[in-house]
Coordinates of all heavy atoms in Angstrom, one line a residue:
Chain A
A4 N -22.4 27.8 -9.1 CA -22.8 28.1 -10.5 C -22.5 26.8 -11.2 O -21.5 26.2 -11.0 CB -22.0 29.2 -11.1
V40 N -41.1 -17.5 -24.0 CA -40.3 -18.7 -24.0 C -40.1 -19.3 -22.7 O -40.2 -20.5 -22.5 CB -38.9 -18.4 -24.7 CG1 -37.9 -19.6 -24.8 CG2 -39.0 -17.8 -26.1
D154 N -19.8 -30.4 -5.5 CA -20.3 -29.4 -6.5 C -21.4 -28.5 -5.9 O -21.4 -27.3 -6.2 CB -20.9 -30.2 -7.6 CG -20.8 -29.5 -9.0 OD1 -20.1 -28.6 -9.0 OD2 -21.6 -30.0 -9.9
W250 N -14.0 -40.0 -19.4 CA -14.2 -39.1 -18.3 C -13.0 -39.2 -17.3 O -12.7 -38.2 -16.7 CB -15.5 -39.3 -17.6 CG -16.7 -39.0 -18.3 CD1 -16.9 -38.6 -19.6 CD2 -18.1 -39.1 -17.8 NE1 -18.2 -38.4 -19.9 CE2 -18.9 -38.7 -18.8 CE3 -18.6 -39.4 -16.6 CZ2 -20.3 -38.6 -18.6 CZ3 -20.0 -39.4 -16.4 CH2 -20.9 -39.0 -17.4
A256 N -9.6 -31.3 -15.0 CA -9.8 -30.0 -14.2 C -9.3 -28.7 -15.0 O -10.0 -27.8 -15.2 CB -9.2 -30.1 -12.8
Y258 N -8.6 -28.5 -18.1 CA -9.3 -28.6 -19.4 C -10.7 -27.9 -19.2 O -11.0 -27.0 -20.0 CB -9.4 -30.1 -19.8 CG -10.3 -30.5 -20.9 CD1 -10.6 -29.6 -22.0 CD2 -10.8 -31.8 -20.9 CE1 -11.4 -30.1 -23.0 CE2 -11.6 -32.2 -21.9 CZ -11.9 -31.3 -23.0 OH -12.8 -31.8 -23.9
G297 N -10.6 -10.6 -27.5 CA -10.2 -11.5 -28.6 C -8.9 -12.3 -28.3 O -8.8 -13.5 -28.5
P341 N -22.0 -33.5 -33.9 CA -21.6 -32.6 -32.8 C -20.1 -32.6 -32.6 O -19.6 -31.5 -32.3 CB -22.3 -33.3 -31.6 CG -23.4 -34.1 -32.2 CD -23.0 -34.5 -33.5
G378 N -20.2 -24.0 -30.2 CA -19.2 -25.2 -30.1 C -19.0 -25.6 -28.6 O -18.9 -26.8 -28.3
A399 N -24.3 -53.0 -23.3 CA -24.8 -51.8 -22.5 C -24.7 -50.6 -23.2 O -24.9 -49.5 -22.7 CB -24.2 -51.8 -21.2
E409 N -37.0 -31.6 -23.2 CA -35.6 -31.1 -23.0 C -35.2 -29.9 -23.8 O -34.5 -29.0 -23.3 CB -34.6 -32.3 -23.2 CG -34.6 -33.4 -22.1 CD -33.9 -34.6 -22.5 OE1 -34.2 -35.1 -23.7 OE2 -33.0 -35.0 -21.9
E438 N -15.0 2.8 -11.7 CA -13.8 2.3 -12.3 C -13.4 3.1 -13.5 O -12.2 3.2 -13.9 CB -13.8 0.8 -12.6 CG -14.0 0.1 -11.2 CD -13.5 -1.4 -11.4 OE1 -12.9 -1.7 -12.4 OE2 -13.7 -2.2 -10.4

Side-chain angles (χ1 to χ4, degrees):
Chain A
V40 178
D154 211 16
W250 288 6
Y258 165 34
E409 287 169 303
E438 294 204 11

